Structures are given as structure tokens and as C-alpha cells.
Amino acid sequence: MQAVIIVGGGMVGLSLALMLAKQNIKVKLLEAIRYPDYGAADDIPYHSSFDARNSALSRRSVQIYQELGLWDKLQQYATPIYQVHISEQGSFGKAKLINQHEGVESFGQVIENAWLGRVLLTEVRQTTNIELIDGVQVTSLKQDVEQAYLTVKREEETFELSTALVIAADGRDSFCRQAIGIGVDVHDYDQVAIVTTVQTSKPHQHVGFERFSALGPLALLPLPGEYRRSVVWPVKKGTEQEWLGEHNEQHFLNALQQTYGDRAGKFIKTGQRFCYPLTQVLAHKQVVGRVVLMGNAAHTIHPVAGQGFNLCLRDAHVLIRYLSHQFQQQQDLGDTQVLMAYEKARLNDQQKVIFFCDRVVKGFSNNNPLLKFARNTGLLAFDFIPGVKPLIANFAMGLRA
């Protein structure tokens, strides 16, 4: 049987390839950028597909990596979240989730994308039924009732590939999505995310903070090392230069201190800050013929609540279930009806997560006094109304997908 072709070798593409390989399905994985050659154990050069950002892996995502046999390798780079504190700067509303109260070991694990990417890439390179082809551009994607056909270019060399199934995981601006004529709905949040790592005087004690401030919703999450924390801070587009560069380090630390108060102690040091534009991009379809969209090619969402990558992993896990059944029955892996059944099966979970993240961003970006009072009352109610916490906790952990 022909190899499935995955276009896009970021964290979703690498994870997908390993899931397919575990089902004994052959894979060709195409990536536009040359992957790094890792040297020493502590050497993690950033790559465009797994960069300076961090991922808060939900409990369901951890379970998926456990099923792949990868969690033991990932865990050494991950930090569990035992508590989540949610609040709004200058307001009375506060809410808290504690793992022991919800009967779970943790709410998830925070891992730096550079480490996650390194572990995934190393595993892919060691897997015999995955052919990794990096440094290539897909310049054409066409299909008929029997096959999908790709034209691939590497420098001056051009070659043709064909397959029963193409999985397009080539990002927010997906070439494959455009090539097969799938349109998108785009919403620009007029924000960029400032991403970095900070050191604080108080140990993080495995507590994650979500702090809604006048500048934007600020996430502070624990990292390996007792005093290291990741920062993801969406700010208004056009103001990002105020926070970037060595000369702005103390200004950035002062802003964090003002926003958080003494909850984390003193913000002592910050690493290099990076910025990423924030837009919501939703494909009108996720399946056309023998091509299925995956990851940010299907849905790019706001990072608030850290749901994006977890949603993509759940998509991948369900797709593999459909493809595994086809493979075991020696049936067509690119059967459009099967792929459309996958798409239908995932819509409910996707729509809930997309709606939730979008509402949180817009709801906490509005400074109308009545709305501000309502949302802070809601945060207080979250702490006191029976049954609400387990519902929200399970949603955040990906256990109600």
C-alpha cells in the first residue's frame, strides 16, 4: 500500500506521522524548512515549526503521547500544573482550580516547543516506516478519483509524488488548502503575543496564572526549574516594540510586576522576547476529495487558555482511528466518505473550543462597566456553584471531547 503523504512537519505533522507509523502505515513527511541537526543534550536550536513558544499539554494530550510510548521521553522536559488561578487586574473576581479537589494528578503539563519538537523529530528519524523529506516546497497539488498528485521542489530539483491520501498540516497559510480551493474565515484580533521565559523570586509551586489585564490576557505557567515560568502576553498590535529588545528588559519586568503584584514574587530576569501575530483562521471545509486539513491549516485559534495544539492532537487521534480501520480492512485510506465522517465526528469539539476561546478574548477585552461586573461575578460563581468546576476542568483537560 502507498505511503500517506503529510505536508508540514511541525509538531502536529510529526505527531501524526508517529501515530500512523504505530498503525504500520507508511508515511512520507514533507517539510519546507531544513530540520536542525541536534548536538549536545542541552542543545535546542529553535526551528520555525517548534519555536520559542510553550505548549500546555492537556491531560488528554498527555494520554495520547503515553499511547505513542513517548511520554517517558517528554516528561523530563515537562512541568505539571497542580493549580490554576484566574483573575482580572483591578477587579474583585477570582477563581481557582486545585488538582486534588478535582481528583486528578494534574491539569496538564507545560513543555517548551523546542524540546517537544526535538523529541518528536528524533523519534521520527528513528522510525523505519517514516520517510522524512525536508527542505522541499510543494508547488502543485491535484487529485482525481483514484489518487492525489504533488509536485515537489528542492532547490533546482523537481519530482512528482502520488498517494491515496494527503494530510495537509502546512500551517495557517496552507498552500495545500489554497491549491484545492478551500476558503477561510479570518478574524484579526489586532494583537500580537509576546512570548518569553522569566525568573521569579518565589518558586512557581506548579501554579499556572491566567491574568486578564488592560494590556491583554497574560498567562504565566510553570517550567522546569523551580523559579522559571513561561509568559504568553497578547498585547495590542503596534505596541510590541515597547516590550522587545535588550534595552526594554526592565520595562517589561516592571509591567509584569505591576500586572501580577507579588503573587509570583519579584520578576528578576527575562529571556529574549519574541512576538507572534494573533488571528483566527477557520477553513470552510476540512476535507476535499483525498485531502484532509489538519492543525493550523484547519483551524488557527487564539492562544488564550492554551487549547489550540491540544485540539489539533485530538483531531489527529480521531483521524488515525478512522484510517487504522481502513488499513486493517485493506480499504482505501483516501476514501472521501470516510474522511468526511472524520470531519463530522470532530466538528462538535472543534466548535466548542473555538467559540470558548473567541468569547473569552472578546469578553475580557471589553471594558464596559456592566460587562466587567458580570464577568467578575461569573468568576466568583465559578468558585461557589456546585458542579461548575468539574465541568470546566474536564473541558480544559480535553476529557469531554
Side-chain angles (χ1 to χ4, degrees):
M1 186 173 283
Q2 285 180 313
V4 169
I5 293 179
I6 299 175
V7 181
M11 298 189 304
V12 173
L14 291 167
S15 299
L16 253 172
L18 291 168
M19 291 179 194
L20 286 164
K22 192 173 180 65
Q23 303 300 320
N24 296 315
I25 300 172
K26 291 184 178 180
V27 181
K28 288 183 186 291
L29 178 59
L30 312 182
E31 165 59 23
I33 307 298
R34 287 279 189 180
Y35 285 113
D37 291 320
Y38 292 113
D42 59 351
D43 177 23
I44 50 167
Y46 292 135
H47 176 265
S48 62
S49 296
F50 23 95
D51 48 32
R53 287 172 281 192
N54 307 276
S55 293
L57 300 178
S58 69
R59 282 182 59 79
R60 185 70 189 105
S61 294
V62 171
Q63 290 171 358
I64 290 170
Y65 283 127
Q66 286 172 335
E67 293 171 14
L68 278 173
L70 281 179
W71 185 245
D72 286 346
K73 296 177 182 178
L74 290 170
Q75 191 167 31
Q76 61 184 309
Y77 306 116
T79 304
I81 301 173
Y82 296 148
Q83 294 186 30
V84 179
H85 295 190
I86 308 166
S87 62
E88 181 172 7
Q89 185 181 11
S91 300
F92 61 86
K94 293 178 177 63
K96 185 184 295 185
L97 284 167
I98 301 173
N99 66 320
Q100 295 168 329
H101 295 176
E102 306 308 321
V104 296
E105 180 272 331
S106 71
F107 293 114
Q109 303 267 347
V110 185
I111 187 168
E112 291 165 276
N113 287 1
W115 282 117
L116 175 56
R118 175 176 177 148
V119 171
L120 294 173
L121 178 58
T122 300
E123 192 72 15
V124 163
R125 281 173 166 163
Q126 295 171 354
T127 303
T128 55
N129 55 346
I130 301 176
E131 182 183 356
L132 188 60
I133 309 172
D134 62 350
V136 296
Q137 294 282 345
V138 175
T139 60
S140 173
L141 170 59
K142 299 177 181 179
Q143 55 181 326
D144 57 28
V145 294
E146 295 182 350
Q147 294 273 284
Y149 308 92
L150 299 94
T151 303
V152 180
K153 185 175 182 181
R154 174 187 278 155
E155 297 176 350
E156 300 306 314
E157 176 190 12
T158 298
F159 51 98
E160 308 292 330
L161 297 173
S162 63
T163 179
L165 173 63
V166 172
I167 302 176
D170 52 341
R172 182 186 65 180
D173 302 318
S174 170
F175 170 83
C176 293
R177 186 184 64 216
Q178 297 173 49
I180 59 175
I182 297 179
V184 294
D185 291 325
V186 179
H187 174 73
D188 189 340
Y189 287 103
D190 197 33
Q191 293 179 333
V192 296
I194 306 298
V195 177
T196 190
T197 300
V198 296
Q199 179 183 340
T200 57
S201 63
K202 289 182 180 179
H204 57 63
Q205 296 182 312
H206 301 277
V207 177
F209 291 95
E210 187 78 42
R211 180 81 160 159
F212 295 93
S213 73
L215 293 175
L218 174 55
L220 191 67
L221 300 175
L223 288 174
E226 199 175 359
Y227 299 91
R228 291 180 69 237
R229 307 176 195 237
S230 78
V231 172
V232 181
W233 197 350
V235 299
K236 186 172 178 57
K237 186 187 295 182
T239 68
E240 59 268 26
Q241 293 305 317
E242 181 181 350
W243 314 108
L244 305 177
E246 293 183 9
H247 60 288
N248 284 334
E249 283 186 4
Q250 193 56 52
H251 177 57
F252 180 74
L253 291 170
N254 291 342
L256 284 175
Q257 197 75 63
Q258 183 178 0
T259 300
Y260 269 99
D262 64 355
R263 294 169 181 79
K266 182 175 176 58
F267 287 86
I268 298 171
K269 186 178 180 181
T270 176
Q272 184 178 355
R273 272 91 58 223
F274 300 85
C275 67
Y276 304 91
L278 298 179
T279 54
Q280 178 180 272
V281 182
L282 306 178
H284 295 164
K285 301 178 182 178
Q286 295 175 44
V287 171
V288 170
R290 295 179 171 276
V291 182
V292 57
L293 303 184
M294 188 62 54
N296 284 340
H299 42 69
T300 301
I301 64 176
H302 197 284
V304 69
Q307 292 297 308
F309 181 61
N310 295 301
L311 180 62
C312 294
L313 271 188
R314 296 200 296 275
D315 289 343
H317 192 259
V318 173
L319 177 62
I320 296 305
R321 194 165 69 222
Y322 281 83
L323 297 181
S324 176
H325 180 267
Q326 287 293 97
F327 181 75
Q328 290 168 11
Q329 300 297 317
Q330 297 185 326
Q331 298 296 312
D332 183 3
L333 293 179
D335 185 305
T336 301
Q337 296 305 314
V338 171
L339 299 179
M340 290 181 69
Y342 150 76
E343 180 182 31
K344 183 178 180 181
R346 290 301 302 143
L347 283 178
N348 185 51
D349 185 26
Q350 291 173 359
Q351 289 170 353
K352 283 181 180 177
V353 171
I354 292 165
F355 179 81
F356 172 79
C357 293
D358 185 60
R359 288 298 95 190
V360 168
V361 174
K362 293 177 179 176
F364 278 90
S365 298
N366 192 319
N367 289 319
N368 179 288
L370 289 176
L371 182 58
K372 191 170 184 177
F373 178 81
R375 65 188 180 230
N376 277 272
T377 302
L379 286 175
L380 287 179
F382 176 84
D383 254 357
F384 293 107
I385 297 178
V388 171
K389 278 190 178 182
L391 187 68
I392 298 298
N394 283 333
F395 174 78
M397 291 186 289
L399 300 180
R400 286 187 173 270

